Amino acid sequence: MAWLTATYLIDSEPERIEARAEALAHEQSVECPLEAIADQRVLDEIVARVSAIEPVAAGRFRVDVQIATQTIGSDPAQLISMIFGNCSLWDNVQFVGLALPPELLARFPGPRHGVPGIRALLGAPERPMTNTAIKPQGLPVSELARLCRTFALAGVDIIKDDHGMADQTYSPFVERLRACQRAVREASAETGKPSFYAPHLIGPPRALRERARIAREEGVRVVLVAPLVIGLPAFADLVDEFPEFVYLAHPSFGGATRIAPALLFGWILRLFGADAVIFVNHGGRFAYAPPECAAIASALRAPWGALRPALPVPAGGMRLERVEELLDFYGPDTMLLIGGNLLIAREKLLERTREFVERVEAYGRAASGAPA
Amino acid sequence: MAWLTATYLIDSEPERIEARAEALAHEQSVECPLEAIADQRVLDEIVARVSAIEPVAAGRFRVDVQIATQTIGSDPAQLISMIFGNCSLWDNVQFVGLALPPELLARFPGPRHGVPGIRALLGAPERPMTNTAIKPQGLPVSELARLCRTFALAGVDIIKDDHGMADQTYSPFVERLRACQRAVREASAETGKPSFYAPHLIGPPRALRERARIAREEGVRVVLVAPLVIGLPAFADLVDEFPEFVYLAHPSFGGATRIAPALLFGWILRLFGADAVIFVNHGGRFAYAPPECAAIASALRAPWGALRPALPVPAGGMRLERVEELLDFYGPDTMLLIGGNLLIAREKLLERTREFVERVEAYGRAASGAPA
């Protein structure tokens, strides 16, 4: 018998925390009163157990619950359901930690490329990396392809669709994919520096799969996916079926949960196969504090069984002026994503994007002690 | 040009609410500073607009945002992304309302059966309905089938898997499906009253589809699915591909602190095709207040374009003693789900379940003025 440990923060009066923790353990396993269970094996092997309760603040406790791995198998959907299914509906419970025993962890291959695969693809063994988005949605395909070309000429490593782009009439998926892929490839051939276009794959599973197939046919190497929008199990399935793509995970719809950001955007997305994870950086349009951002980046890169490290991609209203500060904070195993703050340059877009690329790469040279 | 209206509660100082509302509108459409947009058509047709800001409490505002339907098409994943993608990541924003213009609503068929289809299937034109779950997980298939038989003999309308049941070694999906389906069918033939077994379909899309196919082959008519676990777009896809099933939606992983419960479990699940929605009732193991529960039930049944009404299934620690109170609260277009509170009867399970069925049906007879 093996058990995983899920950790929760529970707000409770001290005299009720033991009962609340037990109730959570039952909710996440047998979902019925213990008195309704006659089978001793179920009581011994299936009922989840509270293994630790620790006060962390006034009226708040950190609770470890051990959940039997035989309730999960290797199904990613069932993993979600067992660790944070029903108890996600409880007030004052937040899911903050997950420790998988080696044999369960071994069933999840995690990132198929991760940091080393992305660095190899980009020909960037050490330096921090750059990312931008073509936007706004609503532009015709020809305009989007022109943006792709400009960004690739400026040397951006990965040029992604804005995550609002799907298969709209004003820029149909296949047409956009072909035009942008070609624009980036041609510009990259001109500069001699590899740049990659990452189309956004979104939709119900059958549409998603068809779009992934087309992207593969067109030679796409990197794709953008929002795992919480399409559903974590659908994301895991896509990674499994199309392991050749580098998966850049977008955080959209990820706020609709009570999962700690580092757990969701760090550990869980990596477990399910994201190679690089976009998350909302401190000081931008979103409210995560620096320690939360550091915890996400750390979870993505920390040693974890045989899983490859995934690449942190802080984003969300980043400004060019912050490049060095961000790299001081995150270190070189980082891809910076700046979008709108490049586009405000309008007709000077190529120059401003070049400055972005140059500042990131200069930082990398300085950090590695290479000549400038 | 058509626009949907999404409504949010935003906590803000009064002097900042206009700017915050505008920022949300831009986040949910063009995702970049307006100054970066040169294309007049994008400014006119794609940028979302704040159409109303109304104070609802000290420091809290109700904000209506109009989002262009051309950004969505008919993709359920893209709908999620556009109405509550990035802004789900903002502190102090809750998504509380959605009004779709008729031509967008017409692209979502909603429940394929809904209340009328379920009533026809069950042969129950007016009375409230009953539901129970086989549990706990961990029991061998033979035990689960025995529970199914007992519940069907007692006359429960729908007998569902506990949502913790997947494809575990102790009760493999196909074996369980066949045994439980047979047990219910045979017992139902003995009583002459229709009862239906609802297996839990869970997994990544390819596994899900395969399991749905098997369930269809085995003559299953009702299935249990947790749309937030498998992902809303995967759920919509399943409903689209297997429209013959009655879909009973489970709320697991729906701990959406920032989506109003009535919006998520009422409007959105119905929009995506749930025929019946399990939600956590007041006074049980979960914390929803009575007005929230009433709002969920009301959203499921309210007139809404051409969409069939969906059936409310209040659940989560319900007790037999509350049957009449619950039916007073919800009315007869309701299916009551009691699980563990039946199982505590152990060897008297048949009798206690019969009492459940009889009390619900007696309530229906009294309400319709039929002879007892």
Side-chain angles (χ1 to χ4, degrees):
Chain A
M1 283 182 295
W3 305 79
L4 66 81
T5 304
T7 304
Y8 308 89
L9 290 181
I10 304 183
D11 292 338
S12 172
E13 296 143 12
E15 59 274 22
R16 295 190 55 217
I17 184 61
E18 279 194 37
R20 288 207 68 182
E22 288 293 333
L24 191 150
H26 300 164
E27 192 67 46
Q28 290 307 117
S29 54
V30 289
E31 243 192 295
C32 71
L34 292 192
E35 63 200 280
I37 304 177
D39 187 313
Q40 191 60 41
R41 201 187 55 81
V42 172
L43 291 168
D44 292 343
E45 296 185 12
I46 303 294
V47 175
R49 298 126 177 235
V50 177
S51 58
I53 299 179
E54 193 192 331
V56 292
R60 170 166 288 194
F61 298 84
R62 189 179 172 87
V63 174
D64 287 341
V65 175
Q66 294 190 298
I67 296 173
T69 59
Q70 53 177 324
T71 62
I72 292 165
S74 53
D75 177 348
Q78 181 64 2
L79 177 66
I80 294 168
S81 186
M82 293 308 296
I83 57 186
F84 199 55
N86 275 6
C87 74
S88 76
L89 300 166
W90 279 351
D91 258 5
N92 306 324
V93 171
Q94 195 192 6
F95 175 43
V96 296
L98 179 65
L100 302 179
E103 70 277 19
L104 183 58
L105 187 54
R107 290 183 217 153
F108 291 86
R112 306 306 197 267
H113 307 272
V115 175
I118 294 171
R119 288 197 170 286
L121 181 70
L122 299 176
E126 287 187 323
R127 65 166 170 83
M129 290 149 277
T130 54
N131 189 347
T132 191
I134 53 173
K135 54 171 83 183
Q137 64 164 306
L139 292 180
V141 166
S142 58
E143 280 299 306
L144 297 173
R146 210 158 60 91
L147 283 172
C148 279
R149 176 172 172 79
T150 302
F151 288 139
L153 285 177
V156 174
D157 291 313
I158 294 178
I159 299 153
K160 72 174 190 65
D161 278 349
D162 213 15
H163 90 287
M165 292 176 187
D167 184 35
Q168 297 99 338
T169 50
Y170 46 74
S171 70
F173 176 75
V174 176
E175 189 192 328
R176 185 176 78 245
L177 174 79
R178 290 193 176 135
C180 291
Q181 173 75 355
R182 188 173 55 239
V184 171
R185 189 183 274 154
E186 287 175 2
S188 181
E190 288 177 38
T191 63
K193 180 181 176 190
S195 283
F196 294 89
Y197 167 60
H200 181 215
L201 302 184
I202 185 172
R206 286 175 294 169
L208 206 59
R209 197 174 183 185
E210 176 61 13
R211 288 174 193 169
R213 205 186 48 66
I214 294 168
R216 182 166 61 189
E217 277 176 15
E218 296 291 328
V220 162
R221 302 293 300 276
V222 184
V223 296
L224 177 74
V225 176
L228 281 299
V229 171
I230 66 167
L232 287 167
F235 174 60
D237 215 28
L238 190 69
V239 174
D240 183 65
E241 192 173 359
F242 297 89
E244 61 272 44
F245 292 138
V246 165
Y247 284 88
L248 176 56
H250 191 285
S252 182
F253 199 55
T257 58
R258 293 177 189 175
I259 307 181
L263 183 58
L264 182 60
F265 298 115
W267 303 107
I268 292 179
L269 288 186
R270 179 179 171 196
L271 185 70
F272 282 6
D275 294 290
V277 176
I278 299 171
F279 59 94
V280 298
N281 191 38
H282 55 95
R285 301 194 305 266
F286 301 86
Y288 289 2
E292 251 171 349
C293 295
I296 294 172
S298 161
L300 288 169
R301 296 184 293 211
W304 197 21
L307 271 64
R308 293 179 185 83
L311 189 65
V313 187
M318 293 301 96
R319 296 185 312 281
L320 186 51
E321 292 64 34
R322 294 185 62 195
V323 160
E324 292 77 17
E325 170 215 327
L326 292 171
L327 292 173
D328 284 344
F329 186 84
Y330 288 108
D333 267 351
T334 300
M335 175 174 276
L336 292 188
L337 168 52
I338 301 185
N341 191 252
L342 298 180
L343 289 170
I344 53 171
R346 293 206 175 184
E347 68 284 1
K348 303 267 191 204
L349 180 59
L350 179 62
E351 293 75 8
R352 191 165 171 86
T353 310
R354 276 198 175 124
E355 186 188 340
F356 171 41
V357 171
E358 179 44 35
R359 284 170 74 158
V360 172
E361 301 196 353
Y363 185 100
R365 285 192 299 273
S368 68
Chain B
M1 284 182 293
W3 305 79
L4 66 81
T5 303
T7 304
Y8 309 88
L9 290 182
I10 303 182
D11 292 340
S12 171
E13 297 144 11
E15 60 274 22
R16 294 189 55 217
I17 183 60
E18 280 195 36
R20 289 205 68 183
E22 288 292 333
L24 191 150
H26 300 163
E27 193 66 47
Q28 290 307 115
S29 54
V30 289
E31 244 192 293
C32 71
L34 292 193
E35 62 200 280
I37 304 176
D39 187 312
Q40 191 61 40
R41 202 187 55 80
V42 172
L43 291 168
D44 292 344
E45 297 186 13
I46 303 295
V47 175
R49 296 125 178 236
V50 177
S51 59
I53 299 178
E54 193 191 332
V56 292
R60 171 166 287 193
F61 298 83
R62 189 180 173 88
V63 174
D64 287 341
V65 176
Q66 294 191 297
I67 296 173
T69 59
Q70 52 176 325
T71 62
I72 292 165
S74 53
D75 177 348
Q78 180 65 2
L79 177 67
I80 294 168
S81 186
M82 293 307 297
I83 57 186
F84 199 54
N86 275 6
C87 73
S88 77
L89 300 165
W90 279 351
D91 257 7
N92 306 324
V93 171
Q94 196 193 6
F95 175 41
V96 296
L98 179 65
L100 302 179
E103 69 276 20
L104 182 58
L105 186 54
R107 289 183 217 153
F108 291 86
R112 305 306 196 268
H113 307 273
V115 174
I118 295 171
R119 288 197 170 285
L121 181 70
L122 300 176
E126 287 186 322
R127 65 167 170 84
M129 291 149 276
T130 54
N131 188 347
T132 191
I134 53 173
K135 49 171 85 181
Q137 65 163 304
L139 292 180
V141 167
S142 57
E143 281 299 307
L144 296 173
R146 211 157 60 90
L147 284 172
C148 279
R149 176 172 172 78
T150 303
F151 287 140
L153 285 177
V156 174
D157 291 313
I158 294 179
I159 299 152
K160 71 173 190 68
D161 278 350
D162 213 15
H163 92 286
M165 293 176 187
D167 184 35
Q168 296 100 337
T169 50
Y170 46 73
S171 72
F173 176 76
V174 177
E175 189 190 329
R176 184 175 79 245
L177 174 79
R178 290 191 175 134
C180 292
Q181 174 74 355
R182 189 172 53 239
V184 171
R185 190 184 274 154
E186 287 175 2
S188 182
E190 290 176 37
T191 63
K193 179 182 177 190
S195 283
F196 293 90
Y197 167 60
H200 181 215
L201 301 184
I202 186 173
R206 284 175 295 169
L208 205 59
R209 197 174 183 184
E210 176 60 13
R211 288 174 193 169
R213 206 186 47 71
I214 295 168
R216 182 167 60 188
E217 276 176 16
E218 296 291 328
V220 163
R221 302 293 300 275
V222 184
V223 296
L224 177 73
V225 176
L228 281 299
V229 170
I230 67 168
L232 288 167
F235 175 60
D237 216 26
L238 190 69
V239 174
D240 183 65
E241 192 172 1
F242 297 89
E244 59 274 45
F245 292 137
V246 165
Y247 285 88
L248 176 56
H250 192 285
S252 181
F253 199 54
T257 50
R258 295 174 194 179
I259 304 183
L263 183 58
L264 182 60
F265 298 115
W267 302 107
I268 292 179
L269 288 186
R270 180 180 170 196
L271 186 69
F272 283 6
D275 293 292
V277 176
I278 299 172
F279 59 94
V280 297
N281 191 36
H282 56 96
R285 302 194 304 267
F286 300 86
Y288 288 2
E292 252 171 349
C293 296
I296 294 172
S298 161
L300 288 169
R301 297 183 292 211
W304 196 22
L307 271 65
R308 292 179 185 83
L311 190 65
V313 188
M318 292 303 95
R319 297 185 312 282
L320 187 49
E321 292 63 35
R322 294 185 63 196
V323 160
E324 292 77 15
E325 169 215 327
L326 292 172
L327 292 173
D328 283 344
F329 186 83
Y330 289 108
D333 269 349
T334 299
M335 174 173 276
L336 292 187
L337 168 52
I338 300 185
N341 190 252
L342 298 179
L343 289 169
I344 54 172
R346 293 204 177 188
E347 67 283 1
K348 303 267 191 205
L349 181 59
L350 180 62
E351 292 76 6
R352 191 166 171 84
T353 309
R354 276 199 175 123
E355 187 188 341
F356 170 42
V357 171
E358 179 45 36
R359 285 170 73 158
V360 172
E361 301 197 353
Y363 185 100
R365 285 193 298 274
S368 69

